[in-house]
Amino acid sequence: GHASTMAVNWKWSVGVLTSFGIGLLCVNFREVFGPTVTIVKMVAVDVNGKPPHLMTIERPPLAAPRANIWGKLKPPYPTHAFWENFALGTGVDTSNAVTALPYITQATDYSLDLFYPYTSMATKTQFQLAFDMVVGRLAIGASTSDLSGGPTIDSYTDLGVTLKFNMQSGGVMKTHVVQGSPYVNYVYEGAKPMITSGQLLRRYMVDGKKADCNAKPIKGHTFQFSLLQFDETWIIYAYPPLELRCTASNPPMALQALGPYQGTLRVAISNNCTFGQSSHHCRSDGHGGFIRGEPKGYRDLLNKHASTMVTGGDVSYEFRDDKAHVSFNWHTVELRKNTSGNVKKGEALMLTLPHHRQVLDSDLKNKTYKTLAGHRSIHGVQHVLTGSRWNLTEHLSTIAWTAPRKVNDIDKINAIKAAAENDLKWELPWNYKTGTGDPYNAGKMMAKMANIAIIAEEMDVSKHKISKFLDPLEDALGLWLNGSSGNSLVYDASWGGVVSCGCLYSYPPPHCINKGPPHCPALGGDPVSNGFDFGNGAFNDHHFHYGYIIYAAAGLAKFRPEWGKKHQKEVLSLVRDIANANPKDRYFPRFRHTDWYSGHSWAGGIALPYLNGKNQESSSEAFNAWYGVSLWGRVSNDKHLRDIGRLLMSMEARAARTYWHIPEINDNIYPKEFAQHHTAGIIWQNLIQYQTWFGQLQWEVQGIQTLPVTPASEMYLTKPWSKTAAKLFESTCGGACYTDGWITFLCLLKAVNDDQDAWSCAEKLHDSVFAGEAAGGNGNSLSNTLYWIATREST
């Protein structure tokens, strides 16, 4: 899987073995050239928005999107959507759980099942949303005899997805899964509703009155049932009312319609500690489920707003005066009519996370019901908010190429200048000069070169020296942008995006024996293929990889504007891959990595339908991607693109400060047992780990949340967190921390609070920590380290 891939690739990708290529040759000769893709055509010019110069390919069946799941929808397809697991695997396997807070959902052949999770410290380093996939399952769908063969994805929006079940009987059921909705919707068009649970029924009510579960059908608008094992109370709202027959034998609880239904069911949990007897949900510390509050008030809100159904939502934004005004526009359908037969307009009832409440406009903050019970999650408490439009304001950074503070100390100026002049002699490793390495480390090192040039210019180094240094950067960038690198980038028409073909590496001289398309070892869709290039072929980490390349291109274009104009379309192909703002783009999905509701990016792509959902390790590298986009917007005089980059920077930095960085014990988000680590290493949709993909040492966790460091990094490297992170880093830094160059980031972290100590730290660094073979430090330089330290606020 991805975990073992990252662990191995991190160590080897910068050396002679750039992926699993040699190992593949040794164990399986039939795969010498890798999986075969179909070459559609060579695109030599920019035709209708296609990436120029990149070969267009289609994937083999194992790696291609499943047509039966995507239905009538055509590529480009999302690869990082919160609901992506519905589209991976078979779509109905036990790994396709989808987290749509406050619930976890799972599709079967005839139902969309709900689980109400509870927070749990699985180990000392893992904080998770736990759920029982057997007893805790609330199955909601159609009769089990009316199988559909699984759902298709009917439609999707920025904030939700609609699944469609075509039943054997000819009936149809559609479900709307929307982030932050306390309800899940089930729309029946001739299918026969059925609800079952593995828990014993404790109490049953119809339209507010106690009812018997004796197999006699009862017609009603609201069906409320309390379950024994997890102490949960659920409500089903029916529009229009319908007859349900309740049985309590096998399964322990079942509600079934007598015939086909034309209408909508909205399902919500109203209490998860009904009788005070749930060991998971009724904990005194508030962790587990509902926080302390008044459950009746929450139930009243559910009743009041149930008729305003939210089916999805779009995100819009506009930029004014270094501010981004972002709106969540919830799509609503009114299910209830007044006495005159007209639709009765209501307000949506939704749930906010901590980062939302930091930026909500003041009029909406007044509509947040913080005194009522809220939903616990590993991402904090979800509080209720009423309104069909959310308005949020993000302040945009004005930091561009250099730090907002000048270096005034003459000795430090001389030291940085000397370091820059020496760094201008640095060269790419031999395999990266030919583009036979992986795009991640290639991007890191090319970005390093651009950064050195920018600092050298700031320090008034000879323009001739800078220009000479930029020549090999221009050559290296050209290989990746025009598709001529040994490990070539190609346009994937099956999913819609730019991916690496993969390189079966050999030397001397450095070359790929598969020779590029049609033999692409990274695109087979199997575990070995997904191991190449950190999973780039499975769309893993594209914003990390291409973010570095975009930064490098922006830096080069700053010095060579004509080069930037000439290669604008090629660079925009990478920008579009990770930050495409155009919903009508026929070649790339909109904002591939961005989860607007969660407020940050997801890095994990389509390799596997992980039970824990999407994940992201390095919040700092995600931030760097958007910094690179903003700089390309600046250098190409595209203010809108610049501001898109700045908006994504602001969101990613806020998420890092709120969820990845834990400057002090904060039991409103994390329990004390996890908060004591002060940093989240990997955040999944329903799991948070204090570790990295390549190890569990403290310096590894702190380091991966720090690199790379640029002038804009001060947006998330705050004084409280950096102080703690530096202490944890230093306490364990040894061995690979030095040899792989991670020690450089200890100096950078120290600088946020103690520039003198940081300067002393930097003076002790050996050149080898910045070498191309140093997996951690190969994207950093001494001139960048000294420049960052010298431009911190005086300490």
Side-chain angles (χ1 to χ4, degrees):
H2 188 216
S4 60
T5 294
M6 287 290 288
V8 175
N9 267 353
W10 189 267
K11 298 296 183 184
W12 291 98
S13 64
V14 295
V16 174
L17 298 178
T18 62
S19 58
F20 287 161
I22 298 301
L24 186 64
L25 280 171
C26 294
V27 301
N28 196 346
F29 186 76
R30 72 179 177 83
E31 289 287 356
V32 164
F33 295 113
T36 301
V37 298
T38 301
I39 297 176
V40 179
K41 64 176 69 174
M42 173 70 80
V43 181
V45 294
D46 184 36
V47 181
N48 297 325
K50 281 189 177 181
H53 306 301
L54 298 186
M55 188 172 290
T56 300
I57 61 92
E58 290 181 350
R59 290 177 180 253
L62 179 64
R66 294 177 182 266
N68 63 308
I69 294 177
W70 287 99
K72 296 180 180 179
L73 299 176
K74 302 298 181 184
Y77 295 125
T79 53
H80 293 70
F82 78 93
W83 48 265
E84 197 74 35
N85 273 3
F86 286 142
L88 301 179
T90 65
V92 294
D93 49 31
T94 55
S95 295
N96 80 331
V98 167
T99 301
L101 294 176
Y103 304 110
I104 292 175
T105 67
Q106 188 176 61
T108 75
D109 283 333
Y110 55 88
S111 65
L112 180 72
D113 300 349
L114 305 184
F115 307 89
Y116 188 78
Y118 56 91
T119 58
S120 171
M121 285 294 297
T123 68
K124 291 182 179 179
T125 58
Q126 296 195 96
F127 181 44
Q128 69 175 22
L129 276 179
F131 59 103
D132 187 321
M133 297 187 70
V134 180
V135 177
R137 181 186 298 269
L138 183 66
I140 307 169
S143 171
T144 54
S145 62
D146 196 9
L147 300 181
S148 71
T152 59
I153 298 168
D154 191 57
S155 63
Y156 58 88
T157 61
D158 294 330
L159 300 165
V161 63
T162 297
L163 303 181
K164 182 180 182 181
F165 296 77
N166 292 303
M167 303 301 176
Q168 288 180 341
S169 64
V172 172
M173 180 184 76
K174 291 184 179 181
T175 64
H176 306 297
V177 181
V178 183
Q179 290 174 291
S181 174
Y183 315 87
V184 180
N185 312 321
Y186 298 80
V187 180
Y188 293 84
E189 300 171 5
K192 186 166 66 174
M194 185 172 184
I195 300 97
T196 64
S197 173
Q199 300 183 59
L200 295 172
L201 182 64
R202 184 162 183 172
R203 184 172 64 191
Y204 180 48
M205 302 178 72
V206 179
D207 289 341
K209 297 178 181 180
K210 185 176 180 180
D212 295 324
C213 186
N214 56 9
K216 293 182 179 180
I218 303 176
K219 188 173 184 178
H221 164 60
T222 62
F223 299 83
Q224 180 177 309
F225 50 92
S226 300
L227 303 172
L228 177 64
Q229 283 85 339
F230 286 96
D231 206 10
E232 299 168 351
T233 295
W234 294 80
I235 303 177
I236 298 174
Y237 301 90
Y239 300 91
L242 82 161
E243 280 189 323
L244 289 179
R245 179 175 60 194
C246 179
T247 58
S249 55
N250 185 24
M253 193 285 293
L255 297 173
Q256 187 170 4
L258 302 182
Y261 178 57
Q262 294 284 343
T264 299
L265 303 183
R266 302 201 77 197
V267 182
I269 193 168
S270 66
N271 199 329
N272 68 341
C273 184
T274 308
F275 299 98
Q277 297 177 359
S278 170
S279 60
H280 296 303
H281 294 307
C282 300
R283 291 169 52 181
S284 60
D285 63 0
H287 280 275
F290 275 134
I291 62 166
R292 295 174 183 175
E294 208 287 285
K296 182 178 182 298
Y298 180 75
R299 185 188 67 205
D300 290 344
L301 278 176
L302 287 176
N303 293 339
K304 179 180 178 181
H305 295 275
S307 62
T308 303
M309 178 171 68
V310 178
T311 62
D314 288 320
V315 176
S316 59
Y317 47 82
E318 59 180 22
F319 304 111
R320 296 194 305 271
D321 302 326
D322 291 325
K323 293 180 182 178
H325 301 275
V326 181
S327 295
F328 288 10
N329 307 294
W330 302 108
H331 300 175
T332 61
V333 175
E334 292 299 333
L335 301 174
R336 178 175 290 173
K337 296 181 179 180
N338 57 28
T339 54
S340 61
N342 297 319
V343 173
K344 186 178 181 180
K345 186 70 173 177
E347 284 190 313
L349 182 70
M350 300 299 290
L351 301 168
T352 62
L353 283 169
H355 70 278
H356 297 138
R357 298 189 289 271
Q358 295 172 15
V359 292
L360 274 174
D361 286 1
S362 57
D363 59 327
L364 289 173
K365 289 182 179 180
N366 297 330
K367 290 185 169 184
T368 303
Y369 291 81
K370 293 184 179 180
T371 59
L372 297 181
H375 296 269
R376 270 288 177 199
S377 80
I378 55 174
H379 309 291
V381 179
Q382 286 184 290
H383 282 302
V384 170
L385 175 63
T386 59
S388 299
R389 179 185 176 98
W390 291 5
N391 297 315
L392 312 98
T393 301
E394 288 282 3
H395 292 264
L396 307 181
S397 172
T398 58
I399 296 175
W401 305 99
T402 57
R405 291 165 294 277
K406 293 287 186 180
V407 183
N408 295 316
D409 186 299
I410 189 61
D411 292 333
K412 291 183 177 179
I413 291 174
N414 291 334
I416 298 169
K417 184 174 183 178
E421 290 184 328
N422 186 61
D423 285 338
L424 289 175
K425 302 173 186 176
W426 189 86
E427 295 184 12
L428 284 167
W430 62 336
N431 51 330
Y432 288 93
K433 289 180 179 179
T434 57
T436 52
D438 64 282
Y440 171 65
N441 281 289
K444 280 177 66 181
M445 290 185 281
M446 290 189 293
K448 165 185 182 165
M449 295 177 73
N451 177 260
I452 290 170
I454 292 167
I455 293 172
E457 181 188 49
E458 181 78 354
M459 294 296 106
D460 201 26
V461 174
S462 161
K463 292 182 179 180
H464 174 73
K465 290 182 179 179
I466 296 173
S467 181
K468 184 178 179 181
F469 179 67
L470 291 175
D471 288 341
L473 173 59
E474 180 175 328
D475 293 340
L477 275 170
L479 292 175
W480 291 100
L481 294 175
N482 64 24
S484 61
S485 54
N487 181 5
S488 55
L489 296 181
V490 296
Y491 177 75
D492 174 7
S494 298
W495 283 93
V498 176
V499 293
S500 62
C501 177
C503 175
L504 297 178
Y505 183 78
S506 183
Y507 73 99
H511 66 283
C512 302
I513 62 175
N514 57 299
K515 298 181 180 180
H519 304 295
C520 289
L523 302 181
D526 57 273
V528 174
S529 294
N530 293 335
F532 280 83
D533 300 339
F534 301 92
N536 183 290
F539 290 94
N540 288 354
D541 304 346
H542 274 204
H543 55 334
F544 300 168
H545 302 187
Y546 301 156
Y548 282 116
I549 297 176
I550 293 165
Y551 174 93
L556 179 60
K558 179 179 185 295
F559 292 94
R560 299 179 177 181
E562 290 305 314
W563 180 92
K565 293 177 182 178
K566 181 180 178 180
H567 292 85
Q568 182 165 352
K569 291 177 180 177
E570 290 93 331
V571 177
L572 283 178
S573 294
L574 300 185
V575 172
R576 288 162 66 196
D577 188 86
I578 64 173
N580 173 39
N582 181 6
K584 296 182 179 180
D585 194 316
R586 295 186 292 127
Y587 301 99
F588 297 92
R590 187 171 187 251
F591 294 109
R592 182 186 304 280
H593 296 274
T594 302
D595 186 328
W596 292 96
Y597 181 81
S598 296
H600 58 77
S601 309
W602 295 117
I606 60 171
L608 288 171
Y610 288 105
L611 188 61
N612 292 315
K614 292 299 179 185
N615 71 81
Q616 179 158 278
E617 179 188 52
S618 181
S619 59
S620 51
E621 287 185 294
F623 173 89
N624 182 67
W626 317 134
Y627 179 46
V629 169
S630 74
L631 292 180
W632 183 258
R634 289 180 185 276
V635 80
S636 60
N637 295 316
D638 187 337
K639 292 183 179 179
H640 187 68
L641 181 60
R642 176 202 64 186
D643 289 343
I644 286 173
R646 293 202 295 166
L647 167 58
L648 297 177
M649 285 168 64
S650 182
M651 289 171 54
E652 206 78 50
R654 181 175 304 283
R657 297 192 305 265
T658 305
Y659 302 115
W660 272 265
H661 300 177
I662 313 171
E664 57 188 24
I665 302 300
N666 181 357
D667 61 3
N668 287 322
I669 296 179
Y670 295 111
K672 293 180 180 180
E673 299 92 326
F674 192 88
Q676 66 183 351
H677 298 304
H678 300 283
T679 306
I682 305 173
I683 291 184
W684 300 71
Q685 287 177 281
N686 58 4
L687 174 69
I688 299 179
Q689 298 169 295
Y690 184 69
Q691 66 176 68
T692 70
W693 285 111
F694 53 97
Q696 293 181 306
L697 296 176
Q698 290 182 332
W699 64 262
E700 293 169 320
V701 177
Q702 313 309 323
I704 200 63
Q705 298 303 333
T706 304
L707 91 163
V709 173
T710 66
S713 298
E714 63 184 63
M715 288 179 64
Y716 60 88
L717 292 181
T718 62
K719 287 181 178 291
W721 182 78
S722 298
K723 183 176 182 179
T724 303
K727 289 181 179 179
L728 294 172
F729 199 126
E730 191 166 26
S731 68
T732 58
C733 186
C737 180
Y738 282 86
T739 58
D740 284 352
W742 290 94
I743 181 67
T744 66
F745 299 102
L746 172 59
C747 304
L748 295 164
L749 281 172
K750 284 186 171 185
V752 178
N753 289 281
D754 190 338
D755 56 346
Q756 293 183 3
D757 187 24
W759 192 270
S760 298
C761 175
E763 288 181 322
K764 299 173 185 176
L765 296 174
H766 190 272
D767 287 348
S768 62
V769 301
F770 303 110
E773 295 74 24
N778 64 351
N780 194 17
S781 65
L782 181 58
S783 54
N784 183 60
T785 303
L786 296 178
Y787 179 72
W788 166 265
I789 297 170
T791 54
R792 296 309 88 207
E793 292 180 324
S794 178
T795 56

